């Protein structure tokens, strides 16, 4: 290279080294070229692969109104003056009065006397063009032309590098945000929340005007969530076969990118007439089990909003969106099943309770001799019947309580309750349960153990815990301890029984979980305790192991009053 070319190249490299990003790289190239060639104006055009156009991306020396006119004009495929020559790697030169019609138009629009345009090609791929213009000087010298032609490949490389770095940074940022949105969408516990998060994420990710989640229900696509403002006339229910673009995306499982939408084959569809989008992206929601719907993303301003990276991100978005939809649909189905189960339990338990009470009543009357004398053998049989029926009645009461809790029909009256108020009745119960066994019942209740809770529900909790402890403890003791710990009241029930196996302990708070011993009951006691404590704003933990007993710790909010209620 000659010294002038080397100086020009060095000026461009120095300018780019100090840049702060892709747009700044282009601007610094234009300024450095204008100073080094020299020329009055320098403009960098880039070839937008998304739009298929040549667009001025950076300029030095051109009046702003002229730059704006060029931005608005753009040049579509085959319309850029001498595009074939530039793509082939040949420079184009024009002077006022002797240029081709296309170049003459540019000279008139810009007010230039002369213009030289050099292609920016790297590895046979066009990155754009670099144009240098003269306002007053009639034409370019041979030295100026040589400088432009020789630095063009290096400028193309600089632009390619800056473009790739910018694309990589944008992609990394988008994928980070996409991962964050995926976590938020998947964490949603209901369809409304999930849909709102998904639509907001898709609208932000693609910088679009609006988005909508459509789910397949009974052969229709039903709009279940939106982001952005939709016209009141927009249909909420769409026949699955009425919109070919939706059907196509869902059938193929591939996102459908429709830039310049009104000029596509779908531009006359029913939705197009209503919404008139500039660009549309249809993201199918489908998996191995079949389609569940689609996510539509619409932009009303930019015709070429969506590019190849958007299609890739749409595929990722559609994948985790499908998982999220399946999850909330499964949760809703489970909730419906749980509600139906609770209704069934409540209904059946209520229907069983009434006749069982009648049977117990008549059994007691017979045992008391109301209908005549009872022999010793008959009395023993009646006692067995009463114990069995009583156990069944307890089970039914537990089922009713569990059903009411899960249905949200169990009321609580919150007030200050001193745990010591309940000890008298609890001691009588334990004396009956522990009789004829070498098991002691120890109680240690602090004077400030005052919880803000429902008295009857707290009694029920302690009855369940103490009855469990008494049932499994054959020697040693059962201890009830309560004390205030900061803003909580801690209540523990500890026993010296056999303890729980790890497999049982990990599931002990779920209904119908129990061991295989003869003393094992229905497995509802601890399940009811844990659910009652949720209602009361408390919690429960279990510390147990085979051979070292079980300790159940209950925590309840402490009352601001430290005296008996």
């Amino acid at each position: 290279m000659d010294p002038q070319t080397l100086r020009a190249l060095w000026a461009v490299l120095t300018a780019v080294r100090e840049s702060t990003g892709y747009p700044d790289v282009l601007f610094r190239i234009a300024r450095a070229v204008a100073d080094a060639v020299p020329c009055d104006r320098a403009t960098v055009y880039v070839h937008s692969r998304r739009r298929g156009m040549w667009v001025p991306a950076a300029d030095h020396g051109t009046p702003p109104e002229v730059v704006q006119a060029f931005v608005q004009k753009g040049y579509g495929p085959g319309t850029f003056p001498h595009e074939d020559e530039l793509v082939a790697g040949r420079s184009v030169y024009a002077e006022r009065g002797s240029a081709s019609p296309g170049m003459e138009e540019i000279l008139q629009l810009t007010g230039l006397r002369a213009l030289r345009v050099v292609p920016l090609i790297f590895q046979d791929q066009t990155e754009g063009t670099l144009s240098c213009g003269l306002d007053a000087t009639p034409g370019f010298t041979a030295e100026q032309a040589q400088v432009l032609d020789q630095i063009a490949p290096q400028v193309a490389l600089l632009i390619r590098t800056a473009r790739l770095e910018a694309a990589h940074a944008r992609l990394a940022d988008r994928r980070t945000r996409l991962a964050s949105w995926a976590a938020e969408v998947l964490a949603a516990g209901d369809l409304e929340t999930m849909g709102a998060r998904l639509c907001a994420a898709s609208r932000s990710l693609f910088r679009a005007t609006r988005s909508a989640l459509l789910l397949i229900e009974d052969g229709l696509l039903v709009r279940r969530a939106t982001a952005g403002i939709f016209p009141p006339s927009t249909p909420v229910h769409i026949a699955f076969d009425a919109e070919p673009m939706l059907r196509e995306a869902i059938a193929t499982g591939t996102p459908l990118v429709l830039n310049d939408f009104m000029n596509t084959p779908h531009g006359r569809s029913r939705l197009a007439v209503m919404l008139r989008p500039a660009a549309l992206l249809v993201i199918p929601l489908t998996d191995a089990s079949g389609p569940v719907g689609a996510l539509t993303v619409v932009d009303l301003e930019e015709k070429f909003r969506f590019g190849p990276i958007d299609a890739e991100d749409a595929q990722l978005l559609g994948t985790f969106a499908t998982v999220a939809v399946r999850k909330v649909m499964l949760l809703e189905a489970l909730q419906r099943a749980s509600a139906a189960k609770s209704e069934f339990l409540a209904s059946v338990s209520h229907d069983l309770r009434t006749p069982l009470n009648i049977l117990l009543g008549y059994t007691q009357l017979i045992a008391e001799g109301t209908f005549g004398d009872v022999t010793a053998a008959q009395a023993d049989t009646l006692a067995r019947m009463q114990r069995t029926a009583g156990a069944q009645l307890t089970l039914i009461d537990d089922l009713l309580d569990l059903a009411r809790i899960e249905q949200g029909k169990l009321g609580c009256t919150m007030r200050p309750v001193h745990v010591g108020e309940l000890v008298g009745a609890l001691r009588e119960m334990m004396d009956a349960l522990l009789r004829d066994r070498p098991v002691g019942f120890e109680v240690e209740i602090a004077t400030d153990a005052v919880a803000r809770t429902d008295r009857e529900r707290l009694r029920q909790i302690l009855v369940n815990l103490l009855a469990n402890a008494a049932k499994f403890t054959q020697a040693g003791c059962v201890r009830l301890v309560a004390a205030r710990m900061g803003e909580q009241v801690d209540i523990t029930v500890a026993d010296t029984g056999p303890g729980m196996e790890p497999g049982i302990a990990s599931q002990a708070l779920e209904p119908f979980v129990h061991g295989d011993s003869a003393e094992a009951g229905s497995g509802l006691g601890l399940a009811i305790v844990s659910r009652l404590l949720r209602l009361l704003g408390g919690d429960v933990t279990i510390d147990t192991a085979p051979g070292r007993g079980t300790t159940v710790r209950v925590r309840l909010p402490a009352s601001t009053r430290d005296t008996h209620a």
Side-chain angles (χ1 to χ4, degrees):
M1 289 186 184
D2 61 88
Q4 185 177 355
T5 301
L6 288 173
R7 285 194 297 271
L9 182 57
W10 179 253
V12 171
L13 292 172
T14 301
V16 169
R17 190 164 55 241
E18 298 172 353
S19 66
T20 58
Y22 177 60
D24 192 40
V25 166
L26 301 182
F27 170 74
R28 287 175 180 271
I29 288 174
R31 186 175 63 185
V33 168
D35 292 340
V37 169
C39 60
D40 298 310
R41 309 179 195 176
T43 304
V44 176
Y45 287 78
V46 295
H47 186 254
S48 172
R49 297 176 181 85
R50 182 185 303 184
R51 301 184 185 187
M53 289 183 175
W54 298 76
V55 181
D59 180 87
H60 177 74
T62 305
E65 62 273 12
V66 176
V67 175
Q68 186 60 35
F70 267 73
V71 170
Q72 292 176 349
K73 181 177 178 63
Y75 288 94
T79 65
F80 195 82
H82 303 277
E83 182 176 326
D84 291 343
E85 294 180 54
L86 293 167
V87 171
R90 296 189 296 273
S91 298
V92 175
Y93 178 67
E95 285 188 23
R96 180 83 64 88
S98 61
S100 67
M103 293 302 292
E104 193 68 46
E105 179 184 3
I106 292 178
L107 290 171
Q108 291 290 338
L109 182 62
T110 59
L112 291 169
R113 292 286 301 279
L115 178 68
R116 187 171 185 83
V117 183
V118 297
L120 302 176
I121 298 176
F122 180 72
Q123 293 181 341
D124 298 326
Q125 183 172 337
T126 300
E127 294 298 323
T129 63
L130 175 62
S131 67
C132 289
L134 300 175
D135 290 333
T137 308
F140 281 83
T141 65
E143 290 77 10
Q144 288 174 308
Q146 183 178 356
V147 168
L148 280 172
D149 289 341
Q150 289 191 354
I151 69 172
Q154 285 74 26
V155 171
L157 173 59
L158 292 173
I159 291 177
R160 168 76 67 84
T161 302
R163 207 170 189 172
L164 289 175
E165 288 177 351
H168 178 74
R170 287 195 302 271
L171 181 60
D173 177 64
R174 285 182 62 156
R175 294 291 159 81
T176 299
R177 288 186 290 138
L178 191 60
S180 176
W181 282 324
E184 291 182 6
V185 170
L186 290 169
D190 59 86
L191 185 58
E192 182 179 358
T193 303
M194 185 281 299
R197 291 178 181 177
L198 179 60
C199 289
S202 60
R203 185 184 177 208
S204 177
L205 179 68
F206 301 111
R207 297 173 291 117
T209 308
R210 61 172 72 115
S211 63
L213 173 63
L214 306 171
L215 297 184
I216 300 173
E217 299 177 13
D218 299 325
L220 298 174
L221 282 166
V222 181
R223 194 177 75 192
R224 297 299 299 268
T226 63
I229 300 174
F230 279 76
S233 59
T234 307
V236 176
H237 297 78
I238 303 171
F240 189 74
D241 294 330
E243 291 296 338
M245 57 186 173
L246 298 177
R247 186 176 66 247
E248 177 185 341
I250 292 173
T252 62
T254 303
L256 188 60
V257 178
L258 298 170
N259 283 322
D260 195 11
F261 180 80
M262 300 307 292
N263 290 321
T264 68
H266 302 289
R268 296 183 181 180
S269 67
R270 181 187 176 199
L271 280 182
V273 173
M274 288 183 176
L275 302 178
R276 300 192 65 81
L280 176 66
L281 176 62
V282 182
I283 305 172
L285 306 184
T286 183
D287 56 19
S289 299
V292 294
L295 184 66
T296 61
V297 185
V298 173
D299 195 84
L300 299 179
E301 299 178 358
E302 174 57 62
K303 290 183 179 180
F304 300 94
R305 170 60 67 195
F306 309 113
I309 297 300
D310 293 316
E312 293 178 12
D313 286 347
Q315 192 78 57
L316 292 173
L317 184 66
T319 299
F320 78 71
T322 303
V323 174
V325 171
R326 291 285 191 199
K327 190 201 81 168
V328 296
M329 291 173 67
L330 177 60
L331 284 175
E332 289 185 350
L334 291 174
Q335 288 167 355
R336 289 192 296 270
S338 178
K341 177 208 70 176
S342 296
E343 290 284 353
F344 173 77
L345 283 177
S347 176
V348 171
S349 299
H350 183 272
D351 290 344
L352 288 174
R353 196 175 192 278
T354 300
L356 194 56
N357 271 323
I358 293 173
L359 289 173
L360 272 171
Y362 278 118
T363 302
Q364 185 173 354
L365 288 174
I366 294 172
E368 292 173 350
T370 302
F371 302 106
D373 293 337
V374 177
T375 66
Q378 290 172 331
D380 181 65
T381 300
L382 289 169
R384 292 174 184 271
M385 291 174 61
Q386 285 181 301
R387 286 195 298 273
T388 302
Q392 293 304 303
L393 188 59
T394 299
L395 173 60
I396 290 172
D397 286 340
D398 286 344
L399 287 171
L400 274 171
D401 284 342
L402 187 64
R404 290 192 192 105
I405 294 170
E406 293 186 345
Q407 291 174 316
K409 295 180 179 179
L410 195 68
C412 295
T413 302
M414 309 297 281
R415 66 181 185 87
V417 178
H418 194 288
V419 180
E421 297 175 9
L422 308 174
V423 170
L426 294 174
R427 190 178 292 279
E428 291 180 4
M429 179 193 76
M430 292 298 286
D431 288 344
L433 292 174
L434 297 173
R435 67 178 180 274
D436 303 327
R437 273 185 284 169
V439 180
F441 177 48
E442 301 175 2
V443 177
E444 184 181 336
I445 308 295
T447 58
D448 59 354
V450 181
R452 180 164 182 78
T453 188
D454 182 289
R455 189 180 191 279
E456 178 56 27
R457 300 308 166 202
L458 178 57
R459 184 201 65 79
Q460 187 177 359
I461 289 169
L462 295 179
V463 164
N464 276 329
L465 295 180
L466 290 170
N468 262 358
K471 183 189 304 181
F472 292 101
T473 304
Q474 302 303 314
C477 72
V478 175
R479 298 189 75 239
L480 171 63
V481 179
R484 179 163 180 159
M485 305 292 289
E487 298 301 315
Q488 293 182 324
V489 171
D490 279 19
I491 305 172
T492 60
V493 173
D495 64 55
T496 56
M500 302 182 196
E501 294 293 333
I504 299 297
S506 62
Q507 305 176 57
L509 299 179
E510 295 302 316
F512 308 110
V513 174
H514 53 76
D516 298 326
S517 67
E519 294 83 3
S522 63
L524 291 175
L526 288 175
I528 291 172
V529 166
S530 67
R531 285 155 177 76
L532 284 175
L533 283 168
R534 289 178 202 165
L535 291 177
L536 300 175
D539 62 73
V540 59
T541 56
I542 301 173
D543 180 19
T544 184
R548 64 176 181 87
T550 299
T551 299
V552 181
R553 178 172 287 103
V554 168
R555 286 172 291 273
L556 287 166
S559 172
T560 54
R561 296 171 56 187
D562 293 330
T563 58
H564 291 252

